[in-house]
Amino acid sequence: TRDEWGLAEWLIKHVGQTPTDEFLKLPIVSKLGHSINCTFLRKIDMLPHGTPWICKKVTVQGNKQDADGQMLQENVEVWMRNPVECIRELIGNSSFKEHMAYAPSRAYTDQAGLHRVIDDMWTGDWWTETQEQLPKGATIAPIILASDKTCLMQFRGDKSAWPVYLSIGNIAKEKRRQISARATVLIGYLPAGRLDCFTSDARSLAGYRLFHHCMSLLLEPLIAAGRDGVDMVCADSLIRHVYPILAAYVADFPEQCLVSCCKENRCPKCLVAADERGDPLTSLMRDPEAIKNILQKRKNGQHPVEFDDFGLRAVYKPFWNDLLHVNIFIAFTPDLLHQLHKGVFKDHLVKWCLDIIGEEEIDAHFRTMPNYPGLRHFNKGISTVKQWTGTEHKEMQRVFIGIIAGAVSNQVMSVARAILDFSYFAQLQVHTNESLDGMNNALKVFHDNKDILTELEVREHFNIPKLHQLSHYVHSIRLFGAADGFNTELPERLHIDFAKEGYHASNKRDYEEQMVLWLQRQEAVFLRGSYINWLSKSHLTSVADHKCGLNFDSDSEIEDGQQLHRDAAPHSPGPLVLPITERRIVHVLAKTPAHPRQSVQYLETAHGATAFLPALRLFLQEHVPQNSIIPGPQDRFDVFRQVVIIAPPDPRIIDLPTQWCIRAMPERHPSPGSRKPGSPSRFDMALISNGAEMLRPCTLEGLRVAQVRVIFTLPRQFGPYPRTLAYVEWFTSLRAPDPFSGLRQVSRSTRQLHRNAAVVHVDEIVRPCHLIPKMGPSVDPSWNSGNVYELASDFYLNTFIDVDTFCISHTSTLTPNLLL
């Protein structure tokens, strides 16, 4: 029955085996009937599931002897699924029909085809070049592999798994990134043992060889499929002759070296010398055929000089040896998480600046940082933080340039800005020649100024592997599309669903066999649930649309940058022109004001709106000239706590509408006898237009900074006026960008020695912005995060607060008409 199925689905998804057994033995469960109680798992195992799992045993002969003089050996297991059948399921999944492409195409922002853009894999050069090598009518399924060894236990590291994941580039990258879409599947577990049968000096090479042998077993079906092709039913119900070809490999740096059979002091992509990775050189890429020949000569007892020159390991038959049309060395994609956010930025740039500025001073700068909706505030600084996440690295990047502005020399600032520019360009979801040139230019600026760090004795050399990898980003993006489609954050997230949860559901002994059975049951329940939903036509896509409704019942605070609903356009093969979509922004207020009928005195004291009445009188004279009533202290106003701005997607940044929140909230004191603390005032900064048509901005031109103090509506005595108003305090016009930091300076605007204030329409507010006070070498000790907007006089407009602000501040670099 449907009720029994609902219970079974919930148990399989959310409850482990032992609690499930205990639950089914409860007397009350017997009332559900014999079927669910006694044959629960048997019926689950009878459901259709995906590609079945098989296990292959591998015997590893060690080089150590036991007490009897016999050579030690280990028996390891490789759990695997047929990758060709997994690809068949992915390419034939009807839920991907509107997100699938079967042929390469070129995408442009104009009908003339002058401005090419690169986003998904089919818009890159690799697919086009590979297609030319195949018979006419062939369809490529570009395989994206990812592997990453992971610890299964939280506090102990003696249990590990080595999952291998697979997806295909036919599926749009925004769909591949959705965990719930199941567009990336697990195809195997590699042995993750310690190989104690080897001595310590031989264990590393043995691990290399075992990895490649097991990967060869796992990917063996791809050899014939890539050579001859396979007929597959695709998501659009058409049968195509598909050639599954390994195109991209997502891995961190040590695993890239493992896959490419090279030492970790070398680049896994090119032939740069071990001591020249810090120089801006253009080295030859590794050639698969040449590497295979060198390894074969080494196996035959020869000693080719290239073996040592190229930093190779003695793996005589790499797993990619027999895969056709595969260049494993160009397959490694940019790793934004480990190479950029954690690597070059956190491990190097932040450390350099800490050494130059000093931990105590840089902590004071972070503590003084003004609040911004959704921005992490490091209220204790950063020097004492012991463990960082990828999210925290990105949060630091949002304010770092403003933090060090004035505290370091111009050359150091140029180095820091170059790294941040490169990072933000690399995060774009759609690239043009201009954005790729921006990445190259940023890297050039870094190399032109990096010697200052040697002069300051904070760095002896720049032979840094992760820094060298940045030189390959542009080439990789041109080949395979934007880097956001290949980030290592996805496989790390998949470890939870495909490794750790399965392990915790096992009895912790011979756990891999139990993990694959648990995964098979999870998959069976998912497929059954999807089928039932399809039958009842109760697809869940309406949930996101419901959440993005433009009415809010309350004035509760909403996180900045919150994503709303997805409005994905179908992808079709052939020449593609990106559509011009609606760019109008929408302003949303609560249905009822949080503070109705507030006095002018309250606005002046609680909100700091000291010139509220004069500003309102000027507004009424200009916009309501027929009004004869002069506003005074007796009037009362309905006041809102915030306005929510919903902006349409910008394809360069995000494929979802963006939601920003601008707050105008006075300080709230704790209630007497209440344990709930109060909250400080929040009067956010915003960019305000000159009254032109409200579209998502593509430039800072025509925008002005202001601090929003009050959001209110006109009382009825002034006549009907449908538009909501805001009392703001102006800042000066944006000055030219600083040549070193790239930040624009503003100051508070004054009139007759008082702050220049005005009343504007709320719908003239374009989006929030973030100002960082000019702190200089040493921050004023009286400043803190809550009062710095009132005490400081000069500020920087923080163009790194998010990628959207970064883009509109780089209009000369990024083509404005990419805002589609």
Side-chain angles (χ1 to χ4, degrees):
T1 66
R2 179 174 290 274
D3 290 341
E4 289 179 345
W5 166 250
L7 176 61
E9 184 178 32
W10 183 84
L11 288 172
I12 288 293
K13 286 184 176 180
H14 303 290
V15 183
Q17 182 59 54
T18 301
T20 297
D21 292 340
E22 294 175 354
F23 173 78
L24 294 176
K25 291 177 182 178
L26 293 175
I28 193 172
V29 179
S30 61
K31 298 179 182 179
L32 297 175
H34 179 79
S35 60
I36 187 114
N37 193 8
C38 299
T39 61
F40 174 67
L41 292 179
R42 190 184 310 165
K43 288 199 170 187
I44 293 295
D45 291 337
M46 291 172 60
L47 293 175
H49 53 76
T51 305
W53 287 88
I54 61 172
C55 176
K56 290 188 178 181
K57 295 185 180 294
V58 176
T59 300
V60 181
Q61 188 74 38
N63 67 344
K64 292 171 62 175
Q65 296 181 348
D66 59 13
D68 298 328
Q70 300 294 321
M71 302 303 292
L72 293 175
Q73 64 181 24
E74 287 187 30
N75 294 317
V76 298
E77 295 179 344
V78 186
W79 287 90
M80 63 184 70
R81 298 200 288 177
N82 189 323
V84 176
E85 295 306 311
C86 291
I87 293 170
R88 188 189 303 275
E89 293 178 4
L90 288 173
I91 204 168
N93 191 329
S94 59
S95 64
F96 301 149
K97 180 180 178 180
E98 303 300 325
H99 308 271
M100 189 81 73
Y102 304 100
S105 61
R106 294 288 179 118
Y108 303 90
T109 60
D110 62 318
Q111 293 290 343
L114 301 177
H115 300 284
R116 182 189 175 192
V117 298
I118 301 174
D119 56 355
D120 267 297
M121 198 167 187
W122 55 81
T123 66
D125 294 333
W126 177 90
W127 199 330
T128 301
E129 295 169 359
T130 307
Q131 191 76 48
E132 296 172 353
Q133 304 175 31
L134 298 179
K136 185 177 181 180
T139 297
I140 296 178
I143 298 173
I144 304 169
L145 289 183
S147 61
D148 182 35
K149 193 174 182 179
T150 183
C151 179
L152 296 173
M153 305 185 71
Q154 187 172 4
F155 300 109
R156 291 188 299 166
D158 56 343
K159 301 292 184 182
S160 299
W162 202 332
V164 181
Y165 304 105
L166 178 146
S167 188
I168 53 176
N170 310 81
I171 305 172
K173 56 188 172 69
E174 66 266 17
K175 202 68 178 175
R176 296 201 308 267
R177 289 197 302 265
Q178 294 180 19
I179 302 296
S180 60
R182 293 178 178 251
T184 300
V185 297
L186 177 71
I187 63 168
Y189 287 120
L190 303 178
R194 296 176 53 186
L195 296 181
D196 291 328
C197 60
F198 287 91
T199 58
S200 58
D201 59 333
R203 191 172 297 142
S204 174
L205 178 58
Y208 267 63
R209 291 173 173 173
L210 178 62
F211 170 84
H212 281 271
H213 177 70
C214 294
M215 284 291 288
S216 298
L217 297 176
L218 177 61
L219 302 181
E220 183 180 6
L222 293 177
I223 298 175
R227 181 186 64 239
D228 305 325
V230 182
D231 287 340
M232 295 185 181
V233 180
C234 298
D236 58 1
S237 301
L238 297 180
I239 298 177
R240 292 179 172 86
H241 198 59
V242 177
Y243 288 76
I245 299 173
L246 176 58
Y249 203 112
V250 181
D252 58 18
F253 180 77
E255 197 132 343
Q256 289 181 8
C257 296
L258 172 64
V259 171
S260 63
C261 306
C262 75
K263 299 177 181 178
E264 291 189 16
N265 67 340
R266 301 301 181 97
C267 173
K269 296 174 71 73
C270 73
L271 297 175
V272 64
D275 58 351
E276 295 180 347
R277 288 174 294 174
D279 300 326
L281 303 175
T282 302
S283 302
L284 292 175
M285 300 297 289
R286 292 179 182 265
D287 179 67
E289 295 303 320
I291 297 298
K292 284 189 270 187
N293 290 334
I294 295 170
L295 293 175
Q296 186 62 38
K297 291 179 180 179
R298 182 76 173 190
K299 179 182 179 181
N300 295 336
Q302 303 178 40
H303 298 279
V305 66
E306 296 89 352
F307 183 85
D308 292 324
D309 290 346
F310 294 174
L312 298 177
R313 303 295 297 269
V315 179
Y316 300 128
K317 191 174 181 181
F319 73 83
W320 38 267
N321 186 79
D322 298 324
L323 297 176
L324 294 181
H325 311 293
V326 174
N327 185 338
I328 197 66
F329 305 112
I330 67 171
F332 300 124
T333 55
D335 181 1
L336 299 180
L337 174 63
H338 297 99
Q339 292 170 357
L340 262 181
H341 302 314
K342 182 181 183 299
V344 176
F345 173 72
K346 173 60 180 63
D347 293 343
H348 296 291
L349 177 61
V350 173
K351 181 180 181 301
W352 299 336
C353 292
L354 280 169
D355 291 342
I356 294 171
I357 301 174
E359 292 184 355
E360 184 176 348
E361 189 59 40
I362 209 166
D363 284 344
H365 281 62
F366 270 101
R367 289 193 297 267
T368 309
M369 186 58 53
N371 185 272
Y372 179 85
L375 175 66
R376 161 77 185 270
H377 183 237
F378 297 91
N379 55 0
K380 295 183 179 180
I382 62 170
S383 62
T384 58
V385 179
K386 301 301 181 184
Q387 188 170 359
W388 293 88
T389 65
T391 300
E392 289 169 328
H393 298 148
K394 298 173 192 175
E395 291 295 303
M396 287 176 59
Q397 291 180 36
R398 299 175 70 182
V399 298
F400 195 75
I401 294 298
I403 287 285
I404 66 174
V408 297
S409 67
N410 291 336
Q411 272 191 285
V412 174
M413 176 58 70
S414 296
V415 168
R417 181 193 169 191
I419 292 175
L420 268 295
D421 278 352
F422 188 95
S423 176
Y424 275 63
F425 279 125
Q427 294 175 56
L428 295 180
Q429 296 187 7
V430 177
H431 282 280
T432 64
N433 288 333
E434 290 83 358
S435 63
L436 297 178
D437 288 343
M439 295 175 66
N440 284 329
N441 291 336
L443 210 53
K444 182 179 183 302
V445 171
F446 171 82
H447 285 294
D448 289 344
N449 292 274
K450 66 184 179 183
D451 290 340
I452 184 63
L453 300 173
T454 306
E455 296 174 12
L456 295 174
E457 299 182 350
V458 297
R459 184 73 194 180
E460 295 182 0
H461 64 84
F462 297 93
N463 193 31
I464 303 170
K466 293 176 181 177
L467 177 61
H468 170 75
Q469 292 302 309
L470 304 189
S471 64
H472 295 300
Y473 272 39
V474 170
H475 180 231
S476 182
I477 291 171
R478 291 191 186 276
L479 285 176
F480 300 114
D484 67 297
F486 308 98
N487 205 340
T488 53
E489 290 183 63
L490 177 61
E492 290 198 358
R493 170 59 182 83
L494 291 175
H495 288 340
I496 299 175
D497 296 339
F498 291 137
K500 298 183 180 182
E501 288 188 357
Y503 174 77
H504 292 307
S506 72
N507 64 7
K508 315 301 186 293
R509 294 185 295 273
D510 297 324
Y511 52 85
E512 286 187 337
E513 181 177 5
Q514 300 173 58
M515 288 166 63
V516 298
L517 179 59
W518 181 85
L519 288 169
Q520 182 172 289
R521 288 169 175 167
Q522 294 288 323
E523 191 174 49
V525 169
F526 172 79
L527 293 174
R528 175 73 173 180
S530 300
Y531 176 69
I532 292 175
N533 287 338
W534 177 76
L535 285 179
S536 60
K537 300 185 183 299
S538 59
H539 298 293
L540 301 179
T541 53
S542 60
V543 174
D545 294 333
H546 173 73
K547 289 183 178 180
C548 73
L550 303 184
N551 290 320
F552 295 91
D553 293 328
S554 67
D555 222 1
S556 60
E557 185 171 351
I558 298 173
E559 289 296 323
D560 174 68
Q562 179 177 336
Q563 299 173 1
L564 297 176
H565 70 286
R566 180 174 298 272
D567 185 16
H571 296 278
S572 58
L576 181 67
V577 177
L578 299 181
I580 303 298
T581 58
E582 179 59 62
R583 287 170 43 202
R584 188 179 300 276
I585 61 177
V586 178
H587 297 74
V588 184
L589 293 160
K591 289 182 178 179
T592 57
H595 306 288
R597 295 185 55 76
Q598 296 299 313
S599 66
V600 173
Q601 182 182 5
Y602 170 81
L603 301 181
E604 292 176 344
T605 55
H607 288 257
T610 55
F612 181 80
L613 286 178
L616 181 59
R617 290 175 190 140
L618 289 175
F619 176 86
L620 293 175
Q621 291 174 14
E622 180 179 356
H623 295 276
V624 194
Q626 69 277 14
N627 171 67
S628 59
I629 303 176
I630 300 176
Q634 74 282 356
D635 294 313
R636 294 190 171 261
F637 300 85
D638 291 340
V639 177
F640 297 85
R641 300 175 70 236
Q642 63 186 10
V643 58
V644 175
I645 299 177
I646 299 174
D650 179 347
R652 299 173 300 184
I653 303 163
I654 192 170
D655 49 286
L656 303 175
T658 304
Q659 182 171 287
W660 294 305
C661 176
I662 296 178
R663 305 161 299 180
M665 301 185 296
E667 181 181 5
R668 186 178 64 196
H669 300 282
S671 303
S674 174
R675 297 180 61 187
K676 186 176 181 180
S679 60
S681 59
R682 298 285 187 239
F683 299 112
D684 289 332
M685 302 293 174
L687 292 174
I688 300 179
S689 74
N690 55 9
E693 187 178 8
M694 291 310 300
L695 303 177
R696 184 162 189 157
C698 58
T699 176
L700 291 172
E701 186 177 352
L703 302 181
R704 190 172 175 184
V705 178
Q707 185 175 26
V708 180
R709 288 282 185 177
V710 187
I711 302 172
F712 67 100
T713 54
L714 275 180
R716 287 189 224 171
Q717 62 264 30
F718 297 103
Y721 199 80
R723 299 170 71 180
T724 310
L725 307 176
Y727 172 88
V728 301
E729 293 177 348
W730 292 112
F731 284 72
T732 57
S733 299
L734 293 171
R735 300 172 196 170
D738 179 82
F740 302 102
S741 69
L743 302 179
R744 296 171 179 263
Q745 187 174 328
V746 295
S747 305
R748 283 201 178 269
S749 176
T750 58
R751 177 179 295 175
Q752 297 179 352
L753 302 180
H754 292 86
R755 291 184 179 180
N756 185 10
V759 172
V760 300
H761 296 106
V762 162
D763 55 22
E764 294 175 2
I765 301 176
V766 175
R767 56 151 298 150
C769 67
H770 186 231
L771 299 186
I772 298 178
K774 290 185 65 175
M775 303 185 213
S778 179
V779 65
D780 189 324
S782 65
W783 292 0
N784 59 51
S785 177
N787 66 17
V788 68
Y789 275 152
E790 305 302 321
L791 299 182
S793 57
D794 296 313
F795 301 85
Y796 292 114
L797 175 65
N798 183 11
T799 53
F800 292 93
I801 190 63
D802 53 39
V803 182
D804 180 79
T805 307
F806 177 82
C807 287
I808 66 176
S809 67
H810 284 73
T811 306
S812 59
T813 304
L814 299 176
T815 306
N817 63 3
L818 254 184
L819 270 175
L820 307 176

